[in-house]
Amino acid sequence: MSTALNRALEAVLEAADTEALRRSTARLIEVYRSGAPPERQVLRDPVSAAAYAAYRMPATHAAVARVLRHALDVAPDLPTASLLDLGGGTGAAAWAVADAVDDLEHVEVVDGSADALALGRRLGQHGPPPLAGARWTHRDLAAGASLPAADLVTVSYVLGELPGELPARVVDAAAAAGRTVVVVEPGTPRGFGAVLAARERLLAAGLHLLAPCPHEAACPLAAAGDWCHLAVRLDRTALHRRLKGAALGHEDEKVSYVVATRDPAHARALPAGRVLRLPVKRKGLVQLEVCHADGTAGRELVTRRDPPRYRAARHVAQGGGGRRRERTRQTGR
Ligand SMILES: C[S@@+](CC[C@H](N)C(=O)[O-])C[C@H]1O[C@@H](n2cnc3c(N)ncnc32)[C@H](O)[C@@H]1O
């Protein structure tokens, strides 16, 4: 995770009542585990906002950071001077964007929780200039007013909290406001369902996919009853371990996502394939699950009888892809 964010969390939460945070964390885990849209504001007081920041922000930051890496790998010249972070809460996605790009100037975080925004603002004071100078806007996304235009719009771990038609409306508003839209959800069948619905709306709004899909056809995983996700490993902070009563020093955050952009030029370099699962490596053999540019997905076996492909396959990471032509072989195609 971002060491700067880590330091900010330590500085701001240093004096917090650990017992109160632990109780609040337990409640948040319960709410999020249910998977259903909550009936009332989840981050509804300063303690729940602090508990969220301590136990979820590092993971959502790591997830968004990974998603951004994929998108910037496909489109390194993506405009990223301004960011609108919808349902941005304490600002994890904004921190991830600020860490990932050099030219970020304007950040606006919009959220329905005044307590999350207040904490986000305090954390941001410990961050880089775009975060320290960010605008923190208290607003209910259901209110439906138009959104300010931005190069990048992030919608991170939000859609699953919204009831009824609101996820669709928020995605449409994000597509209208942003040149590039980043939607991130938990890597569960339900989170993937929200991402898939968002993907359809982003395409219908005329945007072009950047990641993770190497094509804009129907998702072959959804057709097979599977769900597209990857795991991001991150170190747990000491505070995180205390709040969750966790023994392990790390956790794997599972994430589903879609990134789409208005400018087709940026989508021109879509990879020829995307590795969907952690590659299985055996002696002399690597097994890859790959989503292909032609809209199909399937298993590929790469053996050491093809040394260049074998070497590339041994090093490809989950979520990795090959640029058209020059890096096609990385994914085993
Ligand atoms: C799980 S948190 C995600 C926060 C942040 N995006 C992240 O990735 O860590 C969901 C956020 O959505 C916000 N939210 C939920 N419903 C909302 C609504 N109707 N209007 C504005 N914000 C909302 C919550 O206040 C909360 O901050």
Side-chain angles (χ1 to χ4, degrees):
M1 84 176 254
S2 155
T3 46
L5 174 58
N6 206 355
R7 280 197 298 271
L9 286 168
E10 275 168 18
V12 171
L13 300 178
E14 194 182 23
D17 174 348
T18 311
E19 205 33 58
L21 288 186
R22 197 179 286 145
R23 280 195 301 275
S24 199
T25 300
R27 180 183 71 82
L28 292 176
I29 289 173
E30 225 22 68
V31 171
Y32 293 134
R33 195 172 279 157
S34 87
E39 286 181 4
R40 54 185 286 226
Q41 178 66 257
V42 180
L43 307 183
R44 53 177 174 250
D45 52 46
V47 177
S48 52
Y52 180 85
Y55 109 91
R56 283 301 294 156
M57 249 184 119
T60 60
H61 173 280
V64 177
R66 172 67 94 83
V67 169
L68 289 169
R69 274 211 303 280
H70 279 187
L72 291 168
D73 187 32
V74 176
D77 299 328
L78 214 56
T80 51
S82 55
L83 165 70
L84 178 64
D85 187 14
L86 292 182
T90 50
W95 277 83
V97 174
D99 288 344
V101 304
D102 294 330
D103 63 340
L104 184 64
E105 289 174 15
H106 303 290
V107 174
E108 178 165 359
V109 182
V110 174
D111 200 275
S113 162
D115 293 306
L117 291 167
L119 180 59
R121 186 193 295 273
R122 285 177 62 205
L123 291 166
Q125 298 307 311
H126 297 262
L131 273 164
R135 178 192 287 245
W136 301 84
T137 305
H138 187 209
R139 180 165 150 188
D140 184 351
L141 292 170
S146 72
L147 297 168
D151 288 332
L152 212 55
V153 177
T154 44
V155 190
S156 157
Y157 292 85
V158 180
L159 297 180
E161 282 203 14
L162 305 178
E165 297 297 305
L166 192 50
R169 278 170 44 207
V170 167
V171 172
D172 290 351
R179 290 168 81 173
T180 299
V181 178
V182 178
V183 174
V184 183
E185 284 292 307
T188 58
R190 191 170 180 278
F192 173 61
V195 167
L196 202 60
R199 179 189 192 267
E200 276 170 27
R201 295 199 85 85
L202 292 170
L203 286 172
L207 274 68
H208 307 274
L209 296 185
L210 283 185
C213 324
H215 59 82
E216 296 187 349
C219 173
L221 270 73
D226 200 351
W227 74 100
C228 183
H229 64 285
L230 55 78
V232 181
R233 178 156 291 190
L234 71 145
D235 292 335
R236 286 177 165 145
T237 62
L239 177 60
H240 187 145
R241 284 206 300 275
R242 277 205 304 282
L243 295 185
K244 277 177 94 170
L248 269 183
H250 67 265
E251 66 180 6
D252 291 318
E253 174 71 12
K254 295 200 174 69
V255 57
S256 289
Y257 64 96
V258 63
V259 184
T261 190
R262 193 153 287 285
D263 184 351
H266 292 303
R268 227 175 265 142
L270 277 183
R274 178 73 73 190
V275 176
L276 296 167
R277 305 262 184 272
L278 280 173
V280 178
K281 297 171 190 169
R282 300 213 184 83
K283 205 162 177 244
L285 180 84
V286 181
Q287 181 182 302
L288 301 169
E289 299 285 339
V290 183
C291 188
H292 300 298
D294 64 3
T296 62
R299 181 168 300 172
E300 301 202 359
L301 296 178
V302 185
T303 70
R304 60 159 61 119
R305 262 178 265 156
D306 184 346
R309 280 185 78 205
Y310 179 67
R311 269 197 304 276
R314 283 196 67 82
H315 291 112
V316 76
Q318 183 191 14
R323 285 281 168 74
R324 279 195 201 288
R325 281 188 292 277
E326 69 268 32
R327 288 177 58 200
T328 298
R329 306 185 81 173
Q330 194 175 29
T331 59
R333 291 202 67 194

